[in-house]
Amino acid sequence: MREVAVSFKKTVTSWNFWLCVGATIVLLFMSQIYEDYDTKNRYSVINALFSFSAGEMKEHFELCSAFVISNARGSWFSLFVPIIAAFCFVPEMCAEREENALRFQVFRSSKTKWQLSTYLTGIISGGTAVTLGYVIFSGLAMLLFPGISEMDPSTLDFMRGSITDFYLLVLDMWMFAIFWSIPSMFLTSFLRNKYLIMCIPFFLKYALAQLSSKILMDSWKGDYDPTLDALYRYIDPDGLMNLSITKYYDILIMYGILLAVSLAAFMIIERKRGDFGA
């Protein structure tokens, strides 16, 4: 674990890490959080800040800071998380391979220690960068949008029953970002093109989002189908991000298995390399 701690400390002090944090904040401010059903206008976080006065915000429960913090995680933000998280480690890993620098790291420790520290540092740093950006955004949202106590009294009872504890949202975001760092980390074991490595998980997530959306729509047609409901639960690419809301804790078993399989495959492929500098 010492190797992981040293590598993680090096990663969080890099420009890539803080660019990921900044990109997370920017995307969250661009997420859609409110739709006016009378005018059909849709508002992102930044649009809502410029379009509504403080008094008008208090009349719409969606513009309560607690709802903004929760709802901003959807929209286009979740789709780009695989790219943001991967940017923490992919450029540097690809550069090290191009410069034949990996062999020196392996010689200083061992193949197993290097593989474990590289894998764990990458996915944890990716998850931490996205989560830190989310926490900073949440702090700004609390300052810029009205709190629960400031909202219209007629909506308070509904709001209190619909709000998830903030620490649970942060934990969900951390697990979600870590999981979507895994595909890129696995791809680094046999690909050298950083753009392919970061974009393939993006397209994979998009495909899963479309598939899960179709399954959800089919499950709403006619009578309740438990098979479709279970299938949606396991295919939904945002399952971890919404875990505290859906309470589908059984999916953690599937994600744990995928993590273990990915780590094993990563180590096997890396061990097949005749030259770790290549």
Side-chain angles (χ1 to χ4, degrees):
M1 293 304 292
R2 185 179 66 85
E3 288 82 2
V4 176
V6 172
S7 298
F8 181 74
K9 182 179 179 180
K10 176 184 176 182
T11 302
V12 298
T13 56
S14 68
W15 281 106
N16 287 349
F17 180 88
W18 292 102
L19 283 173
C20 292
V21 174
T24 299
I25 297 171
V26 170
L27 280 176
L28 285 167
F29 269 101
M30 297 176 65
S31 293
Q32 179 186 321
I33 55 169
Y34 174 63
E35 180 177 358
D36 189 327
Y37 292 102
D38 294 328
T39 63
K40 303 302 180 183
N41 291 331
R42 297 180 178 182
Y43 298 88
S44 65
V45 176
I46 193 70
N47 285 339
L49 287 172
F50 285 104
S51 302
F52 298 96
S53 65
E56 290 173 328
M57 288 182 184
K58 297 175 183 179
E59 299 174 0
H60 305 282
F61 70 87
E62 297 95 336
L63 299 180
C64 171
S65 59
F67 277 88
V68 171
I69 290 169
S70 178
N71 295 338
R73 302 176 307 154
S75 188
W76 289 101
F77 165 73
S78 66
L79 185 62
F80 285 97
V81 164
I83 294 179
I84 300 173
F87 193 75
C88 273
F89 56 89
V90 170
E92 184 174 350
M93 289 187 66
C94 290
E96 288 177 344
R97 292 197 190 282
E98 292 293 335
E99 296 168 1
N100 297 328
L102 296 186
R103 61 168 66 93
F104 301 109
Q105 298 182 31
V106 174
F107 291 158
R108 285 198 297 266
S109 56
S110 67
K111 288 184 178 181
T112 300
K113 287 183 179 180
W114 176 84
Q115 291 162 350
L116 284 173
S117 64
T118 298
Y119 187 92
L120 294 177
T121 299
I123 64 173
I124 292 174
S125 63
T128 302
V130 173
T131 305
L132 179 58
Y134 178 65
V135 170
I136 294 173
F137 163 79
S138 300
L140 294 172
M142 291 177 186
L143 294 174
L144 298 171
F145 289 89
I148 298 177
S149 60
E150 302 174 70
M151 301 302 291
D152 189 322
S154 62
T155 63
L156 286 180
D157 291 338
F158 166 76
M159 291 169 57
R160 289 195 178 100
S162 305
I163 293 175
T164 304
D165 290 336
F166 178 64
Y167 75 92
L168 292 176
L169 296 178
V170 172
L171 179 60
D172 290 349
M173 180 64 73
W174 188 66
M175 292 190 296
F176 172 72
I178 281 181
F179 177 76
W180 280 107
S181 301
I182 292 174
S184 293
M185 176 55 71
F186 171 70
L187 291 172
T188 61
S189 63
F190 59 89
L191 291 179
R192 300 177 69 171
N193 187 313
K194 60 185 177 182
Y195 301 107
L196 277 178
I197 293 172
M198 290 190 289
C199 288
I200 288 175
F202 168 82
F203 290 114
L204 172 63
K205 188 177 187 302
Y206 178 78
L208 286 175
Q210 296 302 307
L211 178 59
S212 62
S213 178
K214 186 179 186 307
I215 292 173
L216 181 62
M217 291 177 64
D218 290 343
S219 68
W220 286 348
K221 298 177 181 178
D223 297 331
Y224 170 74
D225 189 335
T227 303
L228 286 178
D229 182 65
L231 185 60
Y232 169 77
R233 179 186 310 181
Y234 288 103
I235 290 181
D236 179 18
D238 295 332
L240 281 175
M241 188 171 63
N242 298 316
L243 187 62
S244 297
I245 298 173
T246 62
K247 310 296 184 183
Y248 293 153
Y249 297 118
D250 55 322
I251 65 174
L252 289 174
I253 299 174
M254 179 193 71
Y255 284 111
I257 293 173
L258 290 174
L259 172 62
V261 170
S262 173
L263 174 58
F266 176 85
M267 296 183 69
I268 290 172
I269 294 172
E270 287 290 352
R271 282 181 176 275
K272 294 294 183 180
R273 290 181 179 275
D275 180 0
F276 267 72

